[in-house]
Amino acid sequence: MFDPLGALTEAFTSFLFGKVETTRLPVRTSTGQAQAVYLPTAAPGLGDSGVIIGREVYSGKGYIYDPFQLYGQQLPAPHWLVLGESGNGKSALEKTYVLRQLRFRDRQVVVLDAQGEDGVGEWNLIAQQLGITPIRLDPAAALNGGIRLNPLDPSITTTGQLALLRTIIEVAMGHGLDERAGFALKVAHAAVTGQYARRDAEEAADGAERAAGARGRQPVLSDIVEQLRHPEPASAEAMNVDIDDVRAWGLDVALVLDRLVDGDLRGMFDGPTSAGIDLDAPLIVFDLSHIDRNSIAMPILMAIVGVWLEHTWIRPDRKKRIFLVEEAWHIINSPFVAQLFQRLLKFGRRLGLSFVAVVHHLSDVVDGAAAREAAAILKMASTRTIYAQKADEARATGQVLGLPRWAVEIIPTLTPGIAVWDVNGNVQVVKHLITEAERPLVYTDRAMTESSALPTDEARALALAADAEAEARAEAIALERQLRDESSETVA
């Protein structure tokens, strides 16, 4: 409707002040400048169900991660790779993650603890807190009541036993078994398992008392060595070969196994599995801190533990399992052990398994003897957490993992406790938070800091100041990244 009063007012105003132009002219600017006009927005998180890790640095939002909750929709595989220089918080992250996961009743965690101090592994405090005795493997103590793991344990299927024996021998020899050596090993294993099966059947038929007394007896490696040295004629006749040929084919295999039975590695693998190892405990810690990391015992032990767990885990109990390996390059650097763990990862969905590998440098594995196997394992890790690394290492890591440029540039500037998280392409910078109750359990550098320990209040104040400085630095880096990368022009 026509408004006479409004029209009269507009005419009078125009007469006094002239025509008022209210249309704004367009301003041409860059998005880097124009974005300051708008409130910042944060990238979407991973949901609100699972284990809290800390908070996303740029937005301050809580960061929650759980591979079992994310599997299927946001995560194609539940496996996780953790990278970074020493002293930046990898161990603290893994320990708090495990403690928080164990609050769920359907979780089970197995840890291969390759580091330690004060004569025990670094997971010893957590195990004690939970009332669990670590499985401490020590070649020096094996002959004096120490822990033994039997590769021929009845809890492992006969197929698994033979595969494990082959892996042990191939790791020790540094190359694969040829067909003849493999045949000799197969014959020896079949003879030993057949003998024990017949013996158990005979004793069970003799009466309940004798059968009860026979329970727990296990075939051991020395039985395999004896069969390799003195193969049964029937096995040679079945293949229409000479018995002396079978003995010659198995000679190198017998010499390798003899080292485990009567050599420098004796005591850890050449007897029945020690009693008291509870594979149903919520947390199982294999303490490997007394084993030389560069010795042949480490990959052999990794192989035994891997196969042993695989064949004892295959059961419909609906548990979700986390297999955490410290110093994982020991696994991935051995082609035969890497193949074994690669198979274990492929069975992850059936086993309900999340494999967590902790490595200092990616170059430790991608440039090693098992580069092809390492690449396959890395490909199956849909979650990657990268702590501070040197610039050249960060660039190499970013190239292998396909990280965005801004993430590669920020990695060398990260302070302890802050890491770049890449969860199937969702890349964020996360500050790990540790509670006061968790701090004494995850603090693993006492040997370096004990003599200069600060009073609790002063130490807490310094920690808070360091946290504030780290967050301020991360925010400054974020702003610099935005101003540098957002260089395209737009019309506001």
Side-chain angles (χ1 to χ4, degrees), residues 59-114:
S59 69
K61 296 190 306 181
Y63 191 82
I64 296 174
Y65 170 78
D66 191 295
F68 305 109
Q69 296 290 336
L70 297 173
Y71 178 73
Q73 297 181 351
Q74 301 183 57
L75 208 58
H79 309 306
W80 181 13
L81 176 68
V82 182
L83 295 167
E85 301 276 359
S86 297
N88 282 283
K90 298 190 306 296
S91 292
L93 170 67
E94 297 309 326
K95 289 172 182 174
T96 56
Y97 175 74
V98 166
L99 287 170
R100 296 167 191 178
Q101 280 282 3
L102 289 176
R103 292 182 176 273
F104 296 98
R105 294 183 179 180
D106 62 343
R107 302 291 198 264
Q108 184 184 41
V109 181
V110 174
V111 177
L112 298 189
D113 183 7

Side-chain angles (χ1 to χ4, degrees), residues 159-160 163-164 167 303 306-307 310-311 336-348 350-351 353 377 380:
T159 302
L164 179 53
T167 300
V307 172
E310 176 187 349
H311 288 270
F336 305 107
V337 181
Q339 290 171 9
L340 188 154
F341 274 80
Q342 184 181 347
R343 187 177 73 248
L344 188 64
L345 266 63
K346 288 181 179 179
F347 291 156
R350 184 176 68 175
L351 299 175
L353 176 67
I377 290 176
M380 286 187 278

